[in-house]
Amino acid sequence: MASSRLFRNFPAISYVVLIYGFIFLPVVVLVLFSFQDSRIPIPPFDGPSLKWYGAILDDRRMMDALFNSVTVGLLSSMVSVVLGFLAAYSLARLNIPGARFFQGLLIAPLTVSYLIIAMGLLITFTELGIPKSLLTVGIGHVVINMPLCFAILYSQMGEHQANVERAARDLGAHDLQVMLLVSVPMLWPALFASFVLSVTFSWDEFIIAFMVSRFDVTLPVEIWSMLRSGLNPKTNAVGSLVFMVSFVVVLLLDVLISRTRRL
Amino acid sequence: MQALTSRSGRGWALLAPALLWTVAFFFMPLVIMGAYSLWQRVGMRLVRTVSGSNYEQFLAKSYFLDSLINSLEVTAIVTVVSVLLAYPLAWILAVRVPTRWQHIALILAILPFWTSYVVRSYSWLLVLSEGGIISNFLLDVGITDAPVSFANNRGATVVGFVHFFVMLLTLTIYANLVQLPESYRKAAADLGAGPVRSFIHVILPLTLPGVVVGAFLTFVLCIGDYITPQILGGNRELLLPQTIMLQISRRSDFPMASALAMILMMVISIVYVACARWLKLDRV
Amino acid sequence: MTEESVRFLDIGMRFGATVALVGINLSITEGSYVVLLGPSGGGKTTLLNILGGFLEPTSGRIEIKGEDMAGVPAAKRPTATVFQDYALFPHMSIEGNVAFGLKMRKVPRAAREIRVSKALAMVKLGPVAQNRVHELSGGQRQRVALARSLVVEPSVLLLDEPLGALDLKLRRQMQDELKAIQKRVGTTFVHVTHDQEEAMAIADTIVVMNRGSIEDVGTPERVYLRPATRFTANFMGESNILTGRVTEVSGEFVTVATANTNMAVRGTVPVDYEVAISIRPEHLHTEDKSGRIQLGTGYVTEYGFRGTHHQCTVRMERFDTPLRVRLPQSKIPASGEQLTLYVDPDDAVLLDR
């Protein structure tokens, strides 16, 4: 009985194994050879050694870039969530003539390649004489993340939420109280999700950060300049580090979210 | 002040920051870029006279035109291959895997998302390059007797892209499949459809809009990507984003780069309109 | 001689440690309208799914027209199902939905078109044949689902809470329509619901189910007037339950001593048995007539007008629980009013305690 079921499922199982193998292969190789002892991360494996991780942690530029990435990610995401929330609240709740049109305007950046946004910003900043810096990178990241936050939050401000807000107003809350005491707490999961998503996108964004930054750069740009030196276990080490940290953070968030959902 | 206390006045005040930001840092740059694409760079100077010479050059020089054709070819291959690989996986996850395992299977399926975007392509270099994992494996097995390279060509670029988009499309298609009520499949079976015909007549048409949305996303992200072809593709053929970057970094020719970016945007718009049309037609 | 359409033989079903059905034995007559009635979790939907081929029972067997259905998948069974959410295919027109089953059976196009238009005419949806599913109202969707299942000419039609999504008025209207259509096509209908009024209105046979087993099977009149179990008495409309002990057996009657009176009730139970007596609220009267027994006196605690009658709660001397009584329209009760209640022994039903 069990063997016949295995036989029936064999094509499906082998397909899943193959695709997962394909998906995992480069990650496994990346992490494995980050522990390489010699200078080239190709077989034979001669580790394990932690010296490349040491090299990364000692690399001043890399640590600066890491710090820059975190700063830009957190700040630009905060701006994105706040602006996206205000716009969503305004379009969903207050009678704005032509709301659909503005909705279209706000999510327009989602339909364009980052490369085009990056080029537009580069030319504009050059034209206006604004120096390239982490600030301009942050501005660019708000451009790509705000539409996302807006779309997520707007979709959550449905009829149910509107009714609860009406009830609050009926009980005597004025607009600001409604927003802060009812709307924001009710939307908390969506606000949190859009913030996390924004941080993730900003953290991983390359082309805008590459084109509109100059001396201070973010982590992907710093890794990119290291890549030019070819295969290097140090790149493996920094890649593995980013991977492991991101994965742990995602797992923690996942556990946290499923916990709060259960409560 | 009177206007601000009114309801719609307050609405405008809340909307204004987001709107101004989008206009100042998205629409205005597009307009400026559009203007640049009509100007020229002569020597080291920018000449602000309107002409279509950049676009003429694009059509005249095979160097530019080929990069667009390469981009379209690579993107088409990547999109089709990714959909074909992802659909069965999403199907197996949604239908054959017990519910309590699905969550874990999905988290595992998108595991490589959490490597840095720049590093993802690099890690394929470790696998495909001369002396890399595959080359070494072939040597060990005895199929080849010298290290071989699978990197620095179109195939490597496609592999790098497909790797990313299989994950993305599996998620999209899976989400579509699980939200189909189970009763559709039951109803089809009840009315006499076997598994194959139930799939062709009911499941596939119902998930097709989701597949098209996913495929469009794949198309946009793929055709605008610079990193993957730059790391994996070598320099025998260039894709459009690489050509654009070369205009900027090597030649500082912003007008030409702008023209190429406008062309890229036009291509995306055409595909967008086609997809939107199809989706709308399907719904009515 | 009536022919047998479906037969369940000792069906049992368990999901892991949960027992969903136990010892189900039931025969369904060809061409009858059978309603499986019970509270949610009673096992009625599970039984329907087993009949439709969506679940394999853990034990027992099912026959449709004498043929064993073990291992026969849903697609190959002579059954068709109207699903609770209708499961209409949203990407097809109404016509496309109804034609689907015929297409799967490879019915040629010409014949298919005729049968589809006939089926749509039967449910009065001919004019909207080309419309999409989302353009229809709830009642119309219900009819499409019905037409889609009937057009393949199943020998048994299964309906899983088919009226559950409709509002009350439409529901009563669709009940009549369902019943009329069933009489016209003559197909055996097996209909699942938890609404006892719906069940009484349409069923030829009601099967009352609770906790995975059958409590009672019979015509609506039989099940309502002479319920077989205490559960049935309570679930089908309202009942007053008195408990007592058998003191005497004489012919068709037994005498039961309840808390405040001795009652003669039709039934055969040995002396000293603990029993229950069920009396419907409309069977309690305020005036004495020949053959009626006096139950005692009490006073009205609550009352309300229900259109066809006044519903009262009467607190009886020496009774643990108050009685529910229906007084005629003309007799307007007052709070605290003293009432003497009488019952016809034939209206009192003897039940196991």
Side-chain angles (χ1 to χ4, degrees), chain C residues 197-219:
Chain C
E197 276 188 53
E198 182 177 308
M200 280 194 275
I202 50 180
D204 295 323
T205 306
I206 293 182
V207 178
V208 182
M209 295 191 67
N210 183 37
R211 297 210 204 146
S213 53
I214 294 178
E215 293 267 345
D216 202 351
V217 181
T219 63

Side-chain angles (χ1 to χ4, degrees), chain B residues 260-279:
Chain B
L260 293 174
M262 295 304 283
I263 287 165
L264 176 60
M265 206 160 83
M266 262 184 283
V267 170
I268 294 174
S269 306
I270 291 169
V271 175
Y272 174 78
V273 169
C275 286
R277 265 260 175 92
W278 186 86
L279 285 176

Side-chain angles (χ1 to χ4, degrees), chain A residues 9 15 20 127 204 236 247, chain B residues 36 48 85 96 105 111 122:
Chain A
N9 285 338
Y15 187 77
Y20 273 66
E127 185 74 9
D204 211 18
N236 286 45
F247 191 65
Chain B
Y36 259 77
R48 297 179 192 244
L85 287 179
R96 303 286 289 273
L111 195 75
Y122 166 80

